[in-house]
């Protein structure tokens, strides 16, 4: 039972929290095949970035996740987290020559690391309930205000235009897709005995099936988002990555996504967040 394990192990340090975030972003990058997304061997639907771009970004961010966990441990206000995130985004853009590889991950995993830091400072391990309660109690009002602010990003603007739930809106609700879909999907896949790769692929597809991924909406409109969600539902319904032709089916979907310039970046970040929590145990 995770609960007993959660009570038995000591709370993670900010260094352990932050390191798990960097490793989780690599877990996501290294997963293959991934429809429309960048892997170690494939650019997906991206002419402007590849694995090298993501690796440079990853290295530029490794101190950020530790720092924001420390801010969480210090019970810092949202403004301090935001300033830390914006500085990290500048370091990411400097490392990638201006390419947006992890803006959403800086936001999502940054908030999660801060929440885990806040819990750890009280001797508590990062459980789903503890993380969601901390997000809401510590920074919920600021996140709700942020979600109401017009977005400067193409995805956020698409979300507003199409009535979708943006990354900011997910955060203001304490990441329902992460904690109610992605984390349970990863745990269920592992309990079925799936290896890390297929388990993470099933998690990615389960997330794609339900997330209002604003990258998909920005790139393919509502039709593109609904196409991707339908493909993901069909993939899971057909048995997911664990079936004999699962990886071939996922690779075939990749060609469909690239033909439509679709890339589920929001689902990729949500998968990374599920890998982060899995790494922290
Ligand atoms: C904090 C913000 C980032 C919130 O942004 P907002 O809510 O306004 O806009 P969204 O587009 O909804 O989200 C921004 C990024 O988050 C990922 N994402 C998309 N949908 C969701 C979702 N439903 N739930 C969670 N996360 C979501 C996604 O990021 C990933 O994809 C990007 C790479 O893909 P790509 O297609 O290349 O993206 P683009 O470059 O935009 O497109 P092209 O030009 O290539 O066509 C990459 O970012 C991944 O991480 C969304 O892109 C925003 O308010 C902000 O930046 N605030 C300032 C910083 C701050 O306050 N930080 C706080 C630290 S605690
Ligand atoms: N592997 C990936 N490819 C494209 N966009 C992403 N956003 C986050 N991870 C990504």
């Amino acid at each position: 039972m995770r609960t007993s394990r959660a009570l038995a192990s000591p709370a993670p340090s900010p260094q352990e929290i932050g390191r798990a975030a960097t490793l989780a972003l690599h877990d996501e990058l290294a997963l293959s095949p991934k429809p429309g997304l960048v892997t170690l061997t494939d650019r997906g639907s991206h002419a402007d970035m590849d694995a090298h771009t993501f690796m440079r970004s990853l290295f530029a961010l490794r101190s950020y996740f530790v720092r924001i966990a420390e801010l969480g441990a210090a019970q810092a206000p949202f403004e301090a987290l935001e300033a830390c995130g914006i500085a990290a985004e500048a370091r990411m853009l400097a490392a990638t020559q201006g390419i947006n590889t992890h803006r959403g991950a800086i936001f999502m995993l940054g908030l999660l690391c801060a929440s885990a830091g806040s819990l750890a400072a009280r001797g508590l391990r990062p459980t789903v309930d503890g993380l969601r309660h901390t997000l809401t109690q510590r920074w919920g009002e600021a996140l709700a205000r942020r979600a109401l602010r017009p977005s400067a990003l193409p995805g956020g603007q698409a979300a507003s235009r199409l009535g979708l739930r943006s990354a900011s809106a997910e955060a203001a609700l304490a990441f329902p897709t992460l904690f109610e879909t992605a984390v349970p999907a990863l745990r269920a896949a592992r309990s079925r005995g799936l290896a890390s790769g297929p388990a993470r692929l099933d998690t990615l597809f389960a997330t794609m099936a339900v997330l209002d991924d604003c990258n998909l909406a920005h790139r393919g409109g509502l039709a593109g988002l609904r196409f991707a969600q339908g493909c993901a539902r069909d993939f899971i319904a057909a048995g997911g990555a664990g079936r004999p032709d699962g990886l071939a089916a996922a690779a075939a979907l990749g060609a469909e996504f690239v033909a439509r310039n679709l890339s589920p970046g929001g689902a990729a970040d949500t998968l990374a967040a599920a890998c982060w929590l899995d790494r922290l145990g």
Side-chain angles (χ1 to χ4, degrees), residues 3 5 7 9 20 23 43 50 66 83 85 109 124 158 180 198 212 232 274:
T3 306
R5 182 177 176 189
L7 292 174
S9 313
L23 291 173
R43 286 173 176 263
D50 60 12
V66 174
L109 267 172
L124 300 171
E180 296 167 23
D212 281 354

Side-chain angles (χ1 to χ4, degrees), residues 136-199:
T136 305
Q137 290 301 311
R138 299 282 320 143
W139 303 296
E141 282 184 24
L143 289 168
R145 286 196 300 274
R146 159 67 67 82
L148 292 174
R149 202 166 71 186
S151 176
L153 300 176
Q157 290 165 358
S160 175
R161 189 170 62 250
L162 299 171
L164 300 173
R165 194 158 76 187
S166 68
S168 301
E170 281 277 336
L173 295 168
F175 298 118
T177 304
L178 169 63
F179 290 117
E180 296 167 23
T181 296
V183 169
L186 184 56
R187 288 176 177 172
R190 285 203 184 287
S191 65
R192 290 199 305 275
L194 285 187
S196 290

